[in-house]
Amino acid sequence: MKKKGLWIGIGAVGVIVIALILILTIPNKPKQAATPVQNTTRVSKGDITVSVTGSGSTVSTESDSVRTKDEGKVSEVHVKAGDVVKKGQVLLTFEGTDNSDNLKAQQSSLESQQLDLVDLQEQFKRQVQEGADEQTLNTTKKSITKQELNISNTEAEIAKLKEDMVPPDPLTSPIDGTVTAVNITAGEQAKSGSELFVINDYQKLSVKIQVDELDIPNVEEGMKATVQVDALPDQTFEGTVSDIADEGTASGGVSLFDVTIALNDSEGVRVGMSAEATIITEEKQDVLTLPIEAVQQRGGRYVVLLSEGESGESSVPVGGQPPDAEATPPQAGSGARSNDASEAPANRQGRGTGASGVAGGNGGSGSMGGRMQVVEVGAHNETLIEIVSGLTEGQEVVIPTVISNSSGSATQQQTRMQGGFGGSSGLSGGSAGFSGGAAPGGGGAAPTGGGGGFGGGGGR
């Protein structure tokens, strides 16, 4: 009996030990995730530069194909490929036509015709003195007239032969540059209109880039540009837009337009080098600005979420509608593009101002307070947007927060706006406006492009 009681006691202790181990090793019930810290920013004054970029290569700004208007035998070619020439420099000379034998023959014929004319004139005088009949006189007159015509033709032929003996004017260079092609040699017969030389000005170079059809309406001749040449990474070249193609070329379903930028200084640059240019389409200085992701589009109006304690004109509580807003804002993640006039064109390949965007959907009001403020926006680039009205310098607004969560065996990307409001299309390139709460279904931002607003567009 004692042995049996001993075993019972040992078993009880074992059960207690196992229970303690289980209690210590089994994880506790997941704690509720801590509320993220609200990200805010303040309205500040700054400069905004809006630009368009494109890639291409360097080309000769001025190139000329030299053709002759004269026909003739080339006497001497004075340049060769690779020679540097100045405007007006002689490229080749022509030989005159050797008409000496024909000229002598025509001159001899002219002398004979002139003597015959004198004889006919003397004959006519005698016929008049002798009282010849009218028919005889008319016959002599016709002979005289014919001989005068022969003499005139001979004189014209002599003049033509003499003219041909004078060589055409030498062919000269129309520009400063380098001879890159010579298509004639001494002794050859040059034909009118044929290309004899090609000259390129390598001192004045340009960069020809291709610009997307959505950006080309913003580009104008005379705009300033900066150029980076791949072969000269430590140098930045400046220039101006000198030409914009009227016709685009299709590439992958997108039309691209050639834009030529004349470089102010091209020292060290060679024709054919790869380059990338940035064209400045708009510059704003000392204006009110916000990070672009802080502004959202809601019901056709642009709004920001003021931090708790901030207030402004035309502001409404979170969850309400801004003035003149549509009753039902567009759904998040719809990929719809805004038609607001102040919105920048979306990029076809999701190259907008936002990468993943902020969450949209019809979420709740969120756990943190704040008020929506309607604003008027102006110029914007990839990071900043101009606030024309609705806010003052120093006011604090909320910036969307993007959070990634993992659940179960599958990882899901969820975007939630802390303290946000259910909304429509955002400016930051993703789907819609601020998401309310942290509900997983609160509308996400498609990583490939998504909704409207600045930098949205239909990503591909």
Side-chain angles (χ1 to χ4, degrees):
M1 292 295 294
K2 291 183 179 179
K3 186 177 293 185
K4 182 177 181 180
L6 178 62
W7 284 109
I8 292 173
I10 294 173
V13 172
V15 171
I16 295 172
V17 171
I18 292 173
L20 290 173
I21 292 173
L22 291 174
I23 292 172
L24 294 175
T25 57
I26 294 177
N28 294 330
K29 184 179 180 180
K31 297 180 180 179
Q32 186 175 0
T35 301
V37 177
Q38 186 182 49
N39 291 327
T40 62
T41 186
R42 291 188 180 276
V43 181
S44 61
K45 284 192 175 183
D47 301 337
I48 295 180
T49 300
V50 186
S51 62
V52 170
T53 61
S55 299
S57 60
T58 55
V59 297
S60 175
T61 299
E62 194 170 9
S63 178
D64 210 324
S65 175
V66 185
R67 303 174 185 272
T68 178
K69 296 180 180 179
D70 299 308
E71 292 189 1
K73 188 176 182 180
V74 176
S75 172
E76 185 178 359
V77 178
H78 293 266
V79 296
K80 62 183 182 299
D83 286 353
V84 177
V85 296
K86 295 291 185 180
K87 182 177 180 180
Q89 182 174 332
V90 174
L91 302 177
L92 64 76
T93 54
F94 295 95
E95 291 182 2
T97 304
D98 186 6
N99 292 327
S100 55
D101 292 341
N102 288 339
L103 182 60
K104 288 180 181 179
Q106 291 296 330
Q107 287 175 337
S108 177
S109 177
L110 177 61
E111 291 175 359
S112 177
Q113 290 170 351
Q114 288 173 339
L115 291 175
D116 290 343
L117 177 61
V118 171
D119 289 343
L120 289 172
Q121 289 172 341
E122 291 294 333
Q123 180 181 346
F124 180 78
K125 289 179 181 179
R126 288 195 302 270
Q127 289 174 348
V128 171
Q129 291 173 357
E130 294 173 355
D133 58 80
E134 191 69 23
Q135 184 178 357
T136 302
L137 293 176
N138 288 337
T139 301
T140 305
K141 286 181 180 180
K142 289 181 180 178
S143 297
I144 291 173
T145 302
K146 183 178 180 180
Q147 192 64 16
E148 289 175 342
L149 181 60
N150 290 337
I151 290 173
S152 178
N153 290 338
T154 303
E155 288 176 340
E157 183 65 23
I158 291 173
K160 179 69 168 56
L161 290 172
K162 288 182 178 180
E163 182 181 348
D164 290 344
M165 294 180 70
V166 178
D169 292 335
L171 193 62
T172 60
S173 175
I175 61 172
D176 294 347
T178 301
V179 179
T180 57
V182 178
N183 302 319
I184 194 76
T185 58
E188 286 190 74
Q189 189 75 16
K191 296 182 179 181
S192 177
S194 59
E195 181 184 80
L196 304 184
F197 301 91
V198 177
I199 300 176
N200 287 280
D201 186 355
Y202 290 138
Q203 301 303 312
K204 298 177 182 179
L205 299 184
S206 295
V207 174
K208 183 175 289 187
I209 64 172
Q210 290 190 314
V211 175
D212 189 285
E213 60 183 313
L214 298 181
D215 293 327
I216 202 68
N218 301 322
V219 180
E220 297 177 0
E221 290 188 19
M223 284 184 170
K224 296 180 180 179
T226 57
V227 175
Q228 293 286 338
V229 179
D230 291 354
L232 304 170
D234 297 331
Q235 298 185 50
T236 299
F237 299 89
E238 296 183 350
T240 55
V241 176
S242 59
D243 184 69
I244 303 171
D246 293 325
E247 183 176 351
T249 55
S251 176
V254 178
S255 290
L256 302 176
F257 289 78
D258 287 338
V259 175
T260 303
I261 299 168
L263 299 178
N264 298 339
D265 179 19
S266 58
E267 184 177 357
V269 182
R270 294 179 179 270
V271 171
M273 287 183 172
S274 299
E276 183 168 343
T278 300
I279 302 170
I280 309 302
T281 59
E282 187 176 7
E283 289 182 294
K284 291 290 188 71
Q285 296 181 339
D286 197 30
V287 295
L288 294 179
T289 64
L290 275 176
I292 195 167
E293 61 268 22
V295 181
Q296 301 292 313
Q297 185 184 10
R298 183 177 174 84
R301 303 294 295 274
Y302 295 107
V303 295
V304 299
L305 179 62
L306 298 175
S307 296
E308 189 172 5
E310 291 281 355
S311 63
E313 296 181 1
S314 302
S315 63
V316 296
V318 170
Q321 290 285 350
D324 301 327
E326 298 175 1
T328 305
Q331 293 296 316
S334 64
R337 180 179 166 192
S338 170
N339 293 321
D340 192 283
S342 63
E343 179 183 350
N347 189 287
R348 287 183 177 274
Q349 302 194 13
R351 294 173 296 179
T353 54
S356 62
V358 297
N362 295 318
S365 63
S367 60
M368 301 184 71
R371 299 175 67 85
M372 287 186 295
Q373 172 64 44
V374 177
V375 295
E376 180 184 353
V377 299
H380 74 91
N381 55 25
E382 294 181 353
T383 57
L384 295 176
I385 185 167
E386 177 188 6
I387 303 299
V388 178
S389 64
L391 294 173
T392 58
E393 185 177 5
Q395 281 191 284
E396 188 176 40
V397 300
V398 176
I399 294 181
T401 301
V402 180
I403 306 171
S404 296
N405 283 344
S406 298
S407 116
S409 59
T411 300
Q412 297 178 338
Q413 292 292 328
Q414 300 175 354
T415 55
R416 296 179 292 183
M417 171 59 204
Q418 178 62 32
F421 48 92
S424 53
S425 303
L427 295 177
S428 57
S431 297
F434 296 106
S435 166
T448 56
F454 290 99
R460 297 188 204 172

